């Protein structure tokens, strides 16, 4: 029997299987709903959003960046239409003038939805304003699930700076992004987190968060993923490295993800020949060490095969929300060494195969030495993770729980 609630889920970008954030989360949800039924749930995707069309300025911009990063940033900031439009909107647009796209508003008007579920503070603000001008705000529960491992404004500012924003614009940009975060939480009726430990990340890195939430109801809904199944071998030339336990890391090369902690923890072990380290993910602000036992494969769409080939998967994050790649490693039956933060804490309660450590090089190194030194234990930890995945973290369990949670939220109705 389907849920009573009619739920609209807004996300401008179409779901993507191996993406992080809302796109990856919603891809898993869509797939899970195929098993348990999607009755009552409608996704409002903007199919062309996020797709950049090449233009004649792209090649020139790349050449300018190589010659002068400062001039490149000025050019990107004031000449590139997309970036200029984005920062100017953030600078000058009244918070009450942010609305969902016309097509999404039309569906909200026609659909008689009980719930509108948004996945960023900006989209929650847009959803509130749209529901208000459509005369639906008192009828529709506005729900927010944020996916950022830090204050959303901090993450969004970093992305915009990566696009090429001139640094002198950043202080006011941060002020405005903070205002969007604040208003986005203020206007929602209900918040949903994967687990209580994910919520704690916001309390730690966003001091005003608990005050903004106040007495708003909060629900917890663990994410799940589609079982990965059979995989081709990852063609990796390990040479003599293949005789050593293989530790795998996949993710951005930055401080939030703890890539520097991984280097300080594992490079001494690699230098001694105790382990080999293989890293997937594009280059970032932290350079990779040059060592024969440290293998960088760059970005790959075969990351699951790489994890399967490894002996241990490692999550050295300084802070994390609820990392899908951790669930993927569990589905693949691999032991995980993870820092004691965010969703890692919850996963460790589900399985002894998730071994927690402190976010320090010494603690991470100690757990690596402890785990890889016993091949029998490695197999047992991996099996425990696989079992926990099947019991708690599959996409159909996620989807069934999603329907149940949304029905419960709808029953409460919007705040007075």
């Amino acid at each position: 029997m389907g849920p009573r609630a009619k739920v609209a889920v807004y996300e401008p970008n179409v779901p993507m299987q191996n993406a992080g954030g809302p796109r990856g989360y919603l891809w898993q949800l869509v797939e899970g709903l195929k098993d348990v039924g999607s009755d009552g749930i409608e996704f409002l995707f903007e199919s062309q959003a996020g797709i950049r069309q090449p233009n004649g300025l792209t090649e020139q911009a790349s050449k300018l960046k190589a010659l002068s990063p400062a001039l490149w940033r000025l050019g990107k900031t004031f000449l590139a239409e997309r970036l200029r439009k984005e920062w100017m909107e953030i600078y000058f647009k009244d918070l009450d003038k942010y609305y969902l796209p016309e097509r999404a508003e039309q569906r909200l008007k026609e659909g008689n939805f009980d719930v509108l579920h948004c996945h960023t503070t900006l989209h929650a603000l847009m959803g509130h304003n749209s529901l208000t001008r459509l005369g639906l705000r008192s009828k529709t529960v506005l729900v927010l699930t944020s996916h950022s491992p830090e204050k959303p404004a901090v993450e969004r500012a970093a992305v915009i700076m990566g696009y090429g924003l001139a640094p002198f614009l950043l202080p006011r940009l941060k002020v405005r992004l903070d205002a969007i975060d604040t208003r986005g939480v203020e206007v929602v009726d209900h918040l949903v987190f994967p687990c209580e430990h994910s919520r704690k990340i916001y309390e730690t890195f966003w001091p005003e968060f608990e005050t903004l939430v106040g007495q708003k109801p909060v629900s917890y809904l663990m994410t799940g993923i589609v079982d990965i199944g059979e995989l081709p071998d990852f063609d990796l030339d390990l040479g003599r490295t293949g005789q050593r336990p293989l530790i795998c890391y996949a993710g951005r090369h930055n401080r939030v993800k703890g890539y520097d902690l991984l280097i300080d923890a594992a490079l001494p072990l690699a230098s001694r020949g105790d382990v080999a380290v293989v890293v997937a993910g594009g280059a970032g602000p932290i350079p990779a060490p040059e060592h024969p036992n440290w293998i960088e494969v760059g970005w790959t769409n075969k990351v699951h095969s790489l994890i399967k080939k490894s002996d241990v998967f490692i999550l050295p994050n300084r802070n994390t929300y609820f990392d899908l790649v951790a669930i993927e490693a569990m589905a693949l039956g691999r032991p995980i060494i993870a820092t004691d933060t965010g969703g890692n804490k919850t996963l460790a309660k589900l399985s002894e195969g998730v071994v927690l450590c402190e976010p320090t090089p010494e603690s991470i190194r100690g757990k690596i030495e402890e785990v890889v030194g016993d091949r029998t234990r490695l197999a047992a930890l991996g099996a425990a993770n696989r079992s926990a995945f099947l019991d708690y973290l599959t996409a159909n369990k996620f989807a069934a729980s999603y329907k149940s949670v949304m029905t419960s939220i709808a029953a409460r109705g919007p705040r007075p």
Side-chain angles (χ1 to χ4, degrees):
M1 183 177 179
R4 182 189 62 81
K6 289 192 66 177
V7 181
V9 183
Y10 177 74
E11 163 57 32
N13 298 307
V14 293
M16 182 179 291
Q17 182 173 3
N18 294 318
R23 297 183 77 182
Y25 175 95
L26 293 176
W27 188 89
Q28 304 293 347
L29 178 59
V30 168
E31 293 301 306
L33 289 171
K34 291 177 181 178
D35 288 336
V36 301
S38 60
D39 46 306
I41 299 174
E42 183 173 335
F43 294 89
L44 309 182
F45 298 129
E46 299 295 317
S47 60
Q48 297 302 310
I51 299 175
R52 297 188 181 188
Q53 299 297 331
N55 57 63
L57 294 176
T58 304
E59 185 177 350
Q60 298 301 321
S62 298
K63 292 178 180 178
L64 181 60
K65 183 177 183 181
L67 290 171
S68 172
L71 286 176
W72 170 76
R73 283 191 175 276
L74 288 173
K76 290 284 286 185
T77 299
F78 294 102
L79 296 178
E81 180 181 348
R82 176 171 171 159
L83 178 58
R84 186 179 72 245
K85 181 180 179 182
E86 183 166 1
W87 75 257
M88 288 186 71
E89 182 174 89
I90 294 169
Y91 257 55
F92 300 114
K93 191 170 186 176
D94 190 300
L95 294 183
D96 293 331
K97 301 301 182 185
Y98 280 96
Y99 298 105
L100 296 176
E102 183 178 350
R103 184 166 60 178
E105 283 198 346
Q106 185 65 30
R107 280 304 303 140
L108 290 176
K109 186 164 60 174
E110 297 169 348
N112 193 31
F113 293 102
D114 301 300
V115 175
L116 171 61
H117 189 188
C118 297
H119 293 267
T120 69
T121 52
L122 173 60
H123 296 156
L125 170 60
M126 294 162 65
H128 168 77
N129 291 340
S130 288
L131 289 172
T132 299
R133 79 172 177 181
L134 292 170
L136 300 172
R137 190 62 191 90
S138 63
K139 303 176 182 178
T140 309
V141 185
L142 183 59
V143 179
L144 171 64
T145 296
S146 178
H147 299 261
S148 174
E150 53 194 334
K151 193 175 189 292
V154 173
E155 184 176 56
R156 191 174 178 204
V159 170
I160 295 171
M161 286 298 293
Y163 288 157
L165 186 76
F168 69 85
L169 293 172
L170 185 59
R172 176 171 166 81
L173 184 82
K174 286 183 174 178
V175 170
R176 295 289 295 170
L177 291 175
D178 282 340
I180 289 171
D181 280 352
T182 296
R183 184 71 66 85
V185 176
E186 285 177 340
V187 298
V188 299
D189 301 307
H190 204 111
L191 293 97
V192 175
F193 292 93
C195 62
E196 190 171 357
H197 294 113
S198 298
R199 177 179 177 174
K200 293 292 184 184
I201 289 295
Y202 285 80
E203 295 174 15
T204 300
F205 294 97
W206 188 352
E208 304 84 11
F209 180 76
E210 280 303 287
T211 301
L212 292 172
V213 172
Q215 299 302 310
K216 296 178 193 285
V218 176
S219 297
Y220 299 105
L221 170 66
M222 271 202 308
T223 314
I225 66 168
V226 174
D227 200 358
I228 295 167
E230 295 296 321
L231 292 167
D233 184 48
F234 192 96
D235 186 14
L236 185 65
D237 183 11
L238 294 172
R240 292 192 61 193
T241 296
Q243 301 171 14
R244 303 174 177 88
L246 187 63
I247 296 168
C248 179
Y249 168 86
R252 295 190 295 274
H253 295 27
N254 60 25
R255 292 188 79 257
V256 171
K257 291 293 187 179
Y259 182 65
D260 56 327
L261 297 179
L262 175 65
I263 292 173
D264 291 341
L267 187 56
L269 301 178
S271 297
R272 293 203 311 250
D274 294 346
V275 299
V277 182
V278 61
V279 175
I286 301 173
E290 295 185 7
H291 192 280
N293 287 335
W294 192 283
I295 305 162
E296 295 273 346
V297 300
W299 185 90
T300 175
N301 59 4
K302 298 179 180 178
V303 67
H304 294 153
S305 294
L306 185 60
I307 295 171
K308 187 75 171 179
K309 193 179 190 75
S310 68
D311 296 294
V312 177
F313 187 74
I314 188 158
L315 285 165
N317 314 58
R318 279 185 168 81
N319 55 283
T320 192
Y321 185 71
F322 200 82
D323 215 323
L324 285 181
V325 73
I327 306 176
E328 290 167 349
M330 294 176 73
L332 291 166
R334 287 296 170 263
I336 298 174
I337 296 173
T339 46
D340 190 10
T341 178
N344 296 346
K345 295 173 180 278
T346 295
L347 295 178
K349 290 181 178 180
L350 299 180
S351 171
E352 64 177 3
V354 180
V355 179
L356 296 182
C357 58
E358 295 302 314
T360 66
E362 296 76 18
S363 181
I364 296 170
R365 188 184 309 125
K367 290 300 180 183
I368 292 173
E369 291 176 311
E370 175 188 325
V371 170
V372 302
D374 186 342
R375 288 281 181 175
T376 302
R377 186 184 180 207
L378 276 176
L381 295 176
N385 278 346
R386 174 67 182 170
S387 178
F389 164 74
L390 293 173
D391 286 344
Y392 305 107
L393 297 165
T394 60
N396 55 1
K397 288 183 170 62
F398 170 37
S401 296
Y402 184 88
K403 294 171 70 174
S404 176
V405 167
M406 289 299 153
T407 296
S408 176
I409 288 173
R412 296 179 67 104
R415 288 180 301 134

